[in-house]
Amino acid sequence: MEDAKKEKSFNKKRWISVLISVVLGIIIWFIPVPGAFSVNAWHLFAIFVATAFGFMLRPFPSGVVTLIALTATMVTGILQVPEAFEGFSSDTIWLIVSAFLFSRGLIKTGLGRRIAYFLMARFGSSSLKLSYSLSLGDLIISAFVPSNTARSGGIMYPIVRSIASVAGSEPDKEPRKIGAYLIMSLVHNDNIASGLTMTACAGNLLVVTFAAKIANIHLSWFSWFLMASVPALVAFIATPWVLYKIFPPTMKKTPEARIAAQQALGDMGKMSAEEKLLSLIFAITIIGWATTGITGLSSTVVALVGLSLMTLTGILKWQDITTEKGAWDVMFWMGGMYSLADNLSKMNFFKIFARYVARDLHGISWPLGLAILIFIFIATTYGFASGISHLLAMYPVFLTVAIGIGVPPFLAVMSLGICTVLYQTLTHYASGPAAVYFGGGYVEQGTWWRLGLEMLLMNFVIWGFVGFTWWKILGLW
């Protein structure tokens, strides 16, 4: 009886969400088309907004929402079949798919766990040192696992959970002893790790794509790393320490963690042949990503070379690839949303929109205008249940507007791009890693939101002063 009531309530909320998304799209559709926009561009924008709200409200899985949206564009004649499905041939989408498959290899061989346990065994004598060692492990892994959700859920969270359990810190028993601190420290530093390199987070690859299409800015793996390195290093060092002060664990020393890590490494034994081989493949891949400007190979081609080597050596079987549901699910809904955004760009929607906004912001200096745009950009995150959904819906628009009001293109690309990783723990539903770590039950929602806002403000200070100074030195503005 209780299950039937829950199901009825769920269905009611589902169809209310559908109604909200559809009605919003219909309203925009029938608004008189502003003079500068074409009819097709305006109607595609209506579908784009309805889809974004569908992602936000999630009445159905994202793939279902995407399927309906693409079908609507073809039924109404706005897009032809090749245009509607062009996103699935995007090199960015295939790089994201490769990221998930790389993660499968790292998890399957146990190499990710070995890296984290090694750092714990060496540096885990106190809760603060343990936090730094785990964060460093995540940072190292992020260089060759371009999916922060995959490395959080498949590698790092299980390790953090086991450490807390060994220390006697459970969600329902002394969570503040060490578990809650490690959870918050690692998830917030994962934001920094996600912003350090172009391939550390799937969203970064979309930022690179939009930067090329909208701002004609072509970022390489090395250029992204160079621009992010100094402020990211400062933020990476500051995060565990600041959380240690504002959200301290009651357990300061952690000898149990080092012992547990040493035991885990002992149980794992020596590095297997597969781990050594995978380490070599990852090294080749990282070198390939770092030298794309010299070789002329795209990051996607480099990733596919690495993936091919993993299959040729047997690290990944074809069954591993076909059963990686997350990769193919993301490819479908992200590829579909990319098609909508890219076709809007081709119809000059974003450029025209930027001209309208720039006209309204006429007379405001670009630094003030950028500050306003960043504030609004971050604030809209509260309405989205996915960082990627927010990025796809909002980043192209805000980037176009920023450039339209005179913000130097490189500065606009990077400042808004870095925001897309810094806001990922603002709420417990803002990103995959946030959902994974919050789901452990160590931190209450109110505390999560408070710490999310406080750490975001800390990062604004660091990236605002250190980041903008560093970017000035590099000549971005």
Side-chain angles (χ1 to χ4, degrees), residues 27 37 121 194 280 374 418:
I27 290 173
F37 295 102
S194 296
L280 177 61
I374 288 176
I418 290 299

Side-chain angles (χ1 to χ4, degrees), residues 354 366 370 373 397-408 412 416:
W366 71 255
L370 179 60
L373 289 174
V397 177
F398 278 77
L399 175 60
T400 308
V401 172
I403 295 173
I405 63 174
V407 180
L416 290 170

